[in-house]
Amino acid sequence: MADNDLKGPVIGLIWDGTGYGTDGSIWGGECLIGDYAGFERFGSIRPICLPGGDLAAREIERTAFSLLRDSGCETERIENAALYEAMRKAGINCPLSSGIGRLFDGAAAILGIKSVCSYEGQGAVLLEAAAGEDDDCFPIEFYGEPLRFDWRPMIKEMAEALARGEDRSVLAARFMNTLIGMAEQMCKKAADAAKIRDVVLSGGSFQNMYMMRRLPETLRREGFRVWHHSRVSANDEGLAL
């Protein structure tokens, strides 16, 4: 908002890996409605279990295990699946996160792009780089309040397509197309509720150029005014501002 001299109110898509939510949980895939005085959490994504907590940001097969397990998919090919399952059952160091960055991590590991990262966000970077051209998307489903994107149908269909031998570059593109479609639908629902047509995009996930080439245009076709960073980065630099 400050970067574009907006006075508000706006719909904010705030997508990153890890943020501290007002309820004490880990946020990072949020649709907020608000202005400089405050905000409400209109939407988010289904929380993802992170076996090992912060370690899951580097060893992203941990997140892949949770995505596959919760989506009803086979997890045998995950090397330490039995350990992660034991951790989950015991409730040992398995926080929940709604971070889009963690969803990218898990998808990258499921697609065989990367399983252990040398820096946080590497899975997302490599998934973007691996993406080909595709206009299709996986199923988009919501539930609850705040409105939650249920990623389980997406992960299940992606895993089944990979098992059938579909090209992972196509599946990587389809994964991001699904997130774009989810964002479009969530913004439309937020606009209906709040009568707002300004959408701001912020958070480290919007350094993804595949997303930024497609999402703003998708929203503009629906009549939204879309704002993003130009003087301040979408990443942690914005927190200082």
Side-chain angles (χ1 to χ4, degrees):
M1 291 173 65
D3 210 348
N4 291 284
D5 298 318
L6 301 178
K7 306 305 179 187
V10 299
I11 298 167
L13 289 180
I14 315 301
W15 287 6
D16 52 34
T18 303
Y20 187 70
T22 57
D23 60 359
S25 66
I26 304 170
W27 290 11
E30 315 310 315
C31 178
L32 309 177
I33 298 173
D35 54 23
Y36 292 115
F39 67 89
E40 65 172 292
R41 188 190 197 193
F42 178 83
S44 187
I45 70 170
R46 176 183 172 85
I48 303 166
C49 179
L50 303 179
D54 288 343
L55 195 57
R58 294 294 182 95
E59 298 178 9
I60 60 177
E61 68 165 13
R62 295 170 180 260
T63 307
F65 167 80
S66 288
L67 295 181
L68 291 170
R69 178 190 182 277
D70 290 352
S71 301
C73 301
E74 297 293 332
T75 60
E76 282 79 0
R77 70 181 185 85
I78 302 293
E79 183 177 355
N80 295 304
L83 171 62
Y84 305 148
E85 180 64 22
M87 292 174 66
R88 287 181 56 128
K89 286 183 176 178
I92 298 173
N93 196 18
C94 288
L96 297 175
S97 167
S98 63
I100 289 285
R102 302 291 79 84
L103 194 55
F104 265 93
D105 286 345
I110 290 169
L111 293 175
I113 295 170
K114 194 73 173 176
S115 59
V116 178
C117 297
S118 57
Y119 59 87
E120 184 175 351
Q122 186 179 19
V125 170
L126 295 178
L127 187 146
E128 178 190 356
E133 291 297 326
D134 189 80
D135 294 326
D136 292 336
C137 65
F138 297 117
I140 300 173
E141 297 184 15
F142 297 95
Y143 70 94
E145 186 178 338
L147 188 67
R148 299 270 190 179
F149 168 59
D150 190 344
W151 39 259
R152 292 174 298 179
M154 173 182 71
I155 294 298
K156 183 175 179 61
E157 189 166 310
M158 184 171 71
E160 291 174 348
L162 185 66
R164 291 194 301 268
E166 291 197 36
D167 192 286
R168 72 180 186 183
S169 68
V170 171
L171 300 181
R174 201 170 295 167
F175 168 79
M176 290 187 284
N177 293 343
T178 306
L179 297 187
I180 291 168
M182 176 269 285
E184 175 192 5
Q185 291 187 34
M186 191 168 282
C187 284
K188 288 168 70 174
K189 294 176 188 295
D192 289 343
K195 311 305 179 188
I196 297 171
R197 305 304 296 180
D198 287 295
V199 176
V200 298
L201 309 177
S202 192
S205 294
F206 288 120
Q207 295 180 105
N208 181 311
M209 289 299 101
Y210 185 101
M211 303 281 288
M212 291 304 293
R213 283 195 300 271
R214 291 163 176 77
L215 178 56
E217 184 57 34
T218 296
L219 292 173
R220 290 183 183 114
R221 284 199 300 267
E222 295 298 325
F224 289 103
R225 294 179 292 272
V226 184
W227 308 88
H228 51 77
H229 291 278
S230 58
R231 295 173 292 173
V232 180
S233 75
N235 212 328
D236 291 349
E237 180 186 6
L239 295 177
L241 171 64

mmCIF file of all heavy atoms in Angstrom, residues 1 3-6 10-11 197-202 212 216 219-220 224-229:
data_model
loop_
_atom_site.group_PDB
_atom_site.id
_atom_site.type_symbol
_atom_site.label_atom_id
_atom_site.label_comp_id
_atom_site.label_asym_id
_atom_site.label_seq_id
_atom_site.Cartn_x
_atom_site.Cartn_y
_atom_site.Cartn_z
ATOM 1 N N MET A 1 0.831 -1.201 0.000
ATOM 2 C CA MET A 1 0.000 0.000 0.000
ATOM 3 C C MET A 1 0.869 1.255 0.000
ATOM 4 O O MET A 1 0.628 2.196 -0.773
ATOM 5 C CB MET A 1 -0.924 -0.008 1.215
ATOM 6 C CG MET A 1 -2.015 -1.077 1.173
ATOM 7 S SD MET A 1 -2.956 -1.186 2.698
ATOM 8 C CE MET A 1 -3.742 0.433 2.704
ATOM 9 N N ASP A 3 3.918 1.492 -0.991
ATOM 10 C CA ASP A 3 4.693 1.559 -2.223
ATOM 11 C C ASP A 3 3.903 2.212 -3.348
ATOM 12 O O ASP A 3 4.471 2.813 -4.260
ATOM 13 C CB ASP A 3 5.102 0.141 -2.632
ATOM 14 C CG ASP A 3 6.411 0.088 -3.397
ATOM 15 O OD1 ASP A 3 6.888 1.149 -3.800
ATOM 16 O OD2 ASP A 3 6.948 -1.008 -3.584
ATOM 17 N N ASN A 4 2.571 2.113 -3.301
ATOM 18 C CA ASN A 4 1.728 2.656 -4.367
ATOM 19 C C ASN A 4 0.846 3.806 -3.897
ATOM 20 O O ASN A 4 -0.091 4.199 -4.602
ATOM 21 C CB ASN A 4 0.854 1.535 -4.932
ATOM 22 C CG ASN A 4 1.657 0.502 -5.698
ATOM 23 O OD1 ASN A 4 2.079 0.743 -6.824
ATOM 24 N ND2 ASN A 4 1.899 -0.656 -5.071
ATOM 25 N N ASP A 5 1.143 4.348 -2.711
ATOM 26 C CA ASP A 5 0.406 5.500 -2.164
ATOM 27 C C ASP A 5 -1.094 5.229 -2.070
ATOM 28 O O ASP A 5 -1.917 6.104 -2.341
ATOM 29 C CB ASP A 5 0.667 6.752 -3.014
ATOM 30 C CG ASP A 5 2.133 7.144 -3.015
ATOM 31 O OD1 ASP A 5 2.758 7.083 -1.940
ATOM 32 O OD2 ASP A 5 2.642 7.492 -4.089
ATOM 33 N N LEU A 6 -1.443 4.002 -1.678
ATOM 34 C CA LEU A 6 -2.854 3.644 -1.509
ATOM 35 C C LEU A 6 -3.313 3.988 -0.098
ATOM 36 O O LEU A 6 -2.573 3.813 0.867
ATOM 37 C CB LEU A 6 -3.064 2.153 -1.768
ATOM 38 C CG LEU A 6 -2.669 1.622 -3.146
ATOM 39 C CD1 LEU A 6 -2.900 0.119 -3.216
ATOM 40 C CD2 LEU A 6 -3.445 2.335 -4.240
ATOM 41 N N VAL A 10 -8.219 -2.326 1.092
ATOM 42 C CA VAL A 10 -7.818 -3.175 -0.026
ATOM 43 C C VAL A 10 -8.001 -4.643 0.346
ATOM 44 O O VAL A 10 -8.154 -4.990 1.514
ATOM 45 C CB VAL A 10 -6.334 -2.944 -0.407
ATOM 46 C CG1 VAL A 10 -6.092 -1.506 -0.843
ATOM 47 C CG2 VAL A 10 -5.410 -3.336 0.747
ATOM 48 N N ILE A 11 -7.973 -5.463 -0.690
ATOM 49 C CA ILE A 11 -7.820 -6.910 -0.505
ATOM 50 C C ILE A 11 -6.334 -7.205 -0.640
ATOM 51 O O ILE A 11 -5.713 -6.796 -1.627
ATOM 52 C CB ILE A 11 -8.622 -7.696 -1.557
ATOM 53 C CG1 ILE A 11 -10.114 -7.411 -1.420
ATOM 54 C CG2 ILE A 11 -8.338 -9.196 -1.449
ATOM 55 C CD1 ILE A 11 -10.932 -7.904 -2.600
ATOM 56 N N ARG A 197 -12.403 -3.380 -4.863
ATOM 57 C CA ARG A 197 -11.859 -3.837 -6.146
ATOM 58 C C ARG A 197 -10.351 -3.655 -6.247
ATOM 59 O O ARG A 197 -9.766 -3.986 -7.274
ATOM 60 C CB ARG A 197 -12.530 -3.087 -7.309
ATOM 61 C CG ARG A 197 -14.036 -3.167 -7.340
ATOM 62 C CD ARG A 197 -14.570 -4.592 -7.352
ATOM 63 N NE ARG A 197 -14.197 -5.332 -8.558
ATOM 64 C CZ ARG A 197 -14.551 -6.599 -8.792
ATOM 65 N NH1 ARG A 197 -15.249 -7.256 -7.890
ATOM 66 N NH2 ARG A 197 -14.189 -7.206 -9.896
ATOM 67 N N ASP A 198 -9.705 -3.143 -5.206
ATOM 68 C CA ASP A 198 -8.244 -2.993 -5.207
ATOM 69 C C ASP A 198 -7.613 -4.213 -4.549
ATOM 70 O O ASP A 198 -7.976 -4.576 -3.428
ATOM 71 C CB ASP A 198 -7.818 -1.739 -4.451
ATOM 72 C CG ASP A 198 -8.131 -0.471 -5.213
ATOM 73 O OD1 ASP A 198 -7.529 -0.275 -6.290
ATOM 74 O OD2 ASP A 198 -8.974 0.316 -4.744
ATOM 75 N N VAL A 199 -6.659 -4.844 -5.252
ATOM 76 C CA VAL A 199 -5.956 -6.011 -4.727
ATOM 77 C C VAL A 199 -4.468 -5.704 -4.692
ATOM 78 O O VAL A 199 -3.889 -5.276 -5.706
ATOM 79 C CB VAL A 199 -6.199 -7.258 -5.598
ATOM 80 C CG1 VAL A 199 -5.378 -8.438 -5.082
ATOM 81 C CG2 VAL A 199 -7.674 -7.612 -5.629
ATOM 82 N N VAL A 200 -3.851 -5.897 -3.525
ATOM 83 C CA VAL A 200 -2.406 -5.714 -3.398
ATOM 84 C C VAL A 200 -1.744 -7.076 -3.231
ATOM 85 O O VAL A 200 -2.276 -7.963 -2.564
ATOM 86 C CB VAL A 200 -2.039 -4.786 -2.225
ATOM 87 C CG1 VAL A 200 -2.621 -3.398 -2.448
ATOM 88 C CG2 VAL A 200 -2.508 -5.342 -0.889
ATOM 89 N N LEU A 201 -0.582 -7.250 -3.866
ATOM 90 C CA LEU A 201 0.171 -8.498 -3.825
ATOM 91 C C LEU A 201 1.470 -8.261 -3.076
ATOM 92 O O LEU A 201 2.246 -7.376 -3.444
ATOM 93 C CB LEU A 201 0.483 -8.986 -5.239
ATOM 94 C CG LEU A 201 -0.689 -9.078 -6.229
ATOM 95 C CD1 LEU A 201 -0.183 -9.506 -7.602
ATOM 96 C CD2 LEU A 201 -1.751 -10.048 -5.724
ATOM 97 N N SER A 202 1.716 -9.039 -2.034
ATOM 98 C CA SER A 202 2.954 -8.876 -1.288
ATOM 99 C C SER A 202 3.374 -10.200 -0.684
ATOM 100 O O SER A 202 2.585 -11.134 -0.566
ATOM 101 C CB SER A 202 2.793 -7.813 -0.192
ATOM 102 O OG SER A 202 4.045 -7.454 0.351
ATOM 103 N N MET A 212 3.738 -13.800 -11.515
ATOM 104 C CA MET A 212 3.543 -12.366 -11.736
ATOM 105 C C MET A 212 3.252 -12.027 -13.194
ATOM 106 O O MET A 212 2.732 -10.951 -13.487
ATOM 107 C CB MET A 212 4.760 -11.585 -11.237
ATOM 108 C CG MET A 212 4.908 -11.588 -9.727
ATOM 109 S SD MET A 212 3.438 -10.948 -8.877
ATOM 110 C CE MET A 212 3.475 -9.222 -9.392
ATOM 111 N N PRO A 216 -1.641 -11.001 -12.092
ATOM 112 C CA PRO A 216 -2.216 -9.662 -12.228
ATOM 113 C C PRO A 216 -3.172 -9.536 -13.412
ATOM 114 O O PRO A 216 -4.252 -8.938 -13.285
ATOM 115 C CB PRO A 216 -0.989 -8.761 -12.394
ATOM 116 C CG PRO A 216 0.109 -9.499 -11.699
ATOM 117 C CD PRO A 216 -0.165 -10.937 -12.002
ATOM 118 N N LEU A 219 -6.503 -11.218 -12.680
ATOM 119 C CA LEU A 219 -7.347 -10.409 -11.800
ATOM 120 C C LEU A 219 -7.910 -9.183 -12.518
ATOM 121 O O LEU A 219 -9.069 -8.811 -12.319
ATOM 122 C CB LEU A 219 -6.545 -9.981 -10.567
ATOM 123 C CG LEU A 219 -6.149 -11.109 -9.603
ATOM 124 C CD1 LEU A 219 -5.224 -10.577 -8.520
ATOM 125 C CD2 LEU A 219 -7.386 -11.759 -8.980
ATOM 126 N N ARG A 220 -7.105 -8.587 -13.376
ATOM 127 C CA ARG A 220 -7.583 -7.400 -14.111
ATOM 128 C C ARG A 220 -8.728 -7.762 -15.045
ATOM 129 O O ARG A 220 -9.655 -6.962 -15.246
ATOM 130 C CB ARG A 220 -6.425 -6.760 -14.881
ATOM 131 C CG ARG A 220 -5.395 -6.075 -13.978
ATOM 132 C CD ARG A 220 -4.304 -5.386 -14.770
ATOM 133 N NE ARG A 220 -3.309 -4.804 -13.868
ATOM 134 C CZ ARG A 220 -2.044 -5.201 -13.777
ATOM 135 N NH1 ARG A 220 -1.595 -6.177 -14.571
ATOM 136 N NH2 ARG A 220 -1.222 -4.637 -12.917
ATOM 137 N N PHE A 224 -10.532 -6.141 -11.378
ATOM 138 C CA PHE A 224 -9.778 -5.671 -10.220
ATOM 139 C C PHE A 224 -8.685 -4.692 -10.626
ATOM 140 O O PHE A 224 -8.122 -4.781 -11.723
ATOM 141 C CB PHE A 224 -9.128 -6.845 -9.486
ATOM 142 C CG PHE A 224 -10.096 -7.732 -8.753
ATOM 143 C CD1 PHE A 224 -10.466 -8.967 -9.282
ATOM 144 C CD2 PHE A 224 -10.647 -7.329 -7.547
ATOM 145 C CE1 PHE A 224 -11.361 -9.788 -8.620
ATOM 146 C CE2 PHE A 224 -11.546 -8.144 -6.870
ATOM 147 C CZ PHE A 224 -11.905 -9.370 -7.408
ATOM 148 N N ARG A 225 -8.383 -3.761 -9.730
ATOM 149 C CA ARG A 225 -7.185 -2.946 -9.846
ATOM 150 C C ARG A 225 -6.099 -3.635 -9.030
ATOM 151 O O ARG A 225 -6.249 -3.841 -7.823
ATOM 152 C CB ARG A 225 -7.443 -1.523 -9.326
ATOM 153 C CG ARG A 225 -8.442 -0.740 -10.160
ATOM 154 C CD ARG A 225 -8.691 0.650 -9.594
ATOM 155 N NE ARG A 225 -9.398 0.571 -8.301
ATOM 156 C CZ ARG A 225 -10.723 0.535 -8.172
ATOM 157 N NH1 ARG A 225 -11.501 0.539 -9.252
ATOM 158 N NH2 ARG A 225 -11.279 0.473 -6.973
ATOM 159 N N VAL A 226 -5.000 -3.997 -9.696
ATOM 160 C CA VAL A 226 -3.973 -4.822 -9.062
ATOM 161 C C VAL A 226 -2.716 -4.000 -8.822
ATOM 162 O O VAL A 226 -2.228 -3.311 -9.736
ATOM 163 C CB VAL A 226 -3.646 -6.051 -9.936
ATOM 164 C CG1 VAL A 226 -2.640 -6.950 -9.228
ATOM 165 C CG2 VAL A 226 -4.921 -6.828 -10.271
ATOM 166 N N TRP A 227 -2.201 -4.084 -7.607
ATOM 167 C CA TRP A 227 -1.026 -3.312 -7.201
ATOM 168 C C TRP A 227 0.051 -4.263 -6.672
ATOM 169 O O TRP A 227 -0.248 -5.208 -5.950
ATOM 170 C CB TRP A 227 -1.408 -2.298 -6.123
ATOM 171 C CG TRP A 227 -2.577 -1.441 -6.488
ATOM 172 C CD1 TRP A 227 -3.894 -1.705 -6.280
ATOM 173 C CD2 TRP A 227 -2.530 -0.176 -7.147
ATOM 174 N NE1 TRP A 227 -4.686 -0.693 -6.766
ATOM 175 C CE2 TRP A 227 -3.866 0.269 -7.306
ATOM 176 C CE3 TRP A 227 -1.493 0.630 -7.622
ATOM 177 C CZ2 TRP A 227 -4.194 1.475 -7.911
ATOM 178 C CZ3 TRP A 227 -1.809 1.826 -8.224
ATOM 179 C CH2 TRP A 227 -3.142 2.251 -8.366
ATOM 180 N N HIS A 228 1.306 -3.965 -7.043
ATOM 181 C CA HIS A 228 2.418 -4.773 -6.535
ATOM 182 C C HIS A 228 3.604 -3.857 -6.270
ATOM 183 O O HIS A 228 3.543 -2.645 -6.485
ATOM 184 C CB HIS A 228 2.780 -5.889 -7.516
ATOM 185 C CG HIS A 228 3.008 -5.425 -8.925
ATOM 186 N ND1 HIS A 228 4.171 -4.799 -9.326
ATOM 187 C CD2 HIS A 228 2.206 -5.493 -10.023
ATOM 188 C CE1 HIS A 228 4.084 -4.500 -10.604
ATOM 189 N NE2 HIS A 228 2.901 -4.915 -11.061
ATOM 190 N N HIS A 229 4.683 -4.428 -5.794
ATOM 191 C CA HIS A 229 5.840 -3.619 -5.397
ATOM 192 C C HIS A 229 6.623 -3.095 -6.602
ATOM 193 O O HIS A 229 6.710 -3.754 -7.634
ATOM 194 C CB HIS A 229 6.775 -4.468 -4.530
ATOM 195 C CG HIS A 229 6.200 -4.804 -3.188
ATOM 196 N ND1 HIS A 229 6.242 -3.931 -2.134
ATOM 197 C CD2 HIS A 229 5.569 -5.913 -2.734
ATOM 198 C CE1 HIS A 229 5.673 -4.499 -1.072
ATOM 199 N NE2 HIS A 229 5.248 -5.691 -1.416
#
